[in-house]
Amino acid sequence: MYATHQKATFATQSCQPPRRRLAFMSKPSEHPAPPADPAVINCRIRALLLDGELTPAGREEYGRLLVEWETAMQAQQELAA
């Protein structure tokens, strides 16, 4: 039981997404969604891998998260350039 609690604590405490200000009274088309944060996606990947061996559904999610992470990294690099 302790190990399960420890895993949940790791996944929730160390991987907090950055707080963002909300834009009130704006239309979605005026403000495109900010790019995903690679650190948040990385934390989701780590949380997925905490249980050890992945199930087939877990492998699918892992692959999807890797693609999402790569896209987020590219977007972050473009913003920095």
Side-chain angles (χ1 to χ4, degrees), residues 3 7 11 13-15 17-18 22 30 35 37 39 44 49 54 61 63 65 69-73 75 81:
K7 289 177 185 178
Q13 288 182 351
S14 64
C15 296
L22 298 176
E30 291 177 8
D37 185 354
R44 290 170 50 202
L49 296 174
L54 295 175
E61 176 71 2
L65 286 171
W69 178 83
E70 182 179 10
T71 302
M73 286 297 293

Side-chain angles (χ1 to χ4, degrees), residues 2 11 13 20-21 30 43 49 61-62 69 72 76:
Y2 175 74
Q13 288 182 351
R20 300 188 191 273
R21 291 184 168 210
E30 291 177 8
C43 286
L49 296 174
E61 176 71 2
Y62 178 75
W69 178 83
Q76 189 177 55

Side-chain angles (χ1 to χ4, degrees), residues 10-74:
F10 170 78
T12 57
Q13 288 182 351
S14 64
C15 296
Q16 295 295 324
R19 294 181 182 256
R20 300 188 191 273
R21 291 184 168 210
L22 298 176
F24 294 102
M25 303 298 290
S26 62
K27 296 178 183 176
S29 61
E30 291 177 8
H31 301 284
D37 185 354
V40 172
I41 299 167
N42 187 33
C43 286
R44 290 170 50 202
I45 291 169
R46 287 175 180 248
L48 184 65
L49 296 174
L50 280 177
D51 292 329
E53 190 172 336
L54 295 175
T55 63
R59 284 189 202 109
E60 241 179 77
E61 176 71 2
Y62 178 75
R64 189 188 66 73
L65 286 171
L66 285 178
V67 170
E68 187 178 342
W69 178 83
E70 182 179 10
T71 302
M73 286 297 293
Q74 289 173 354

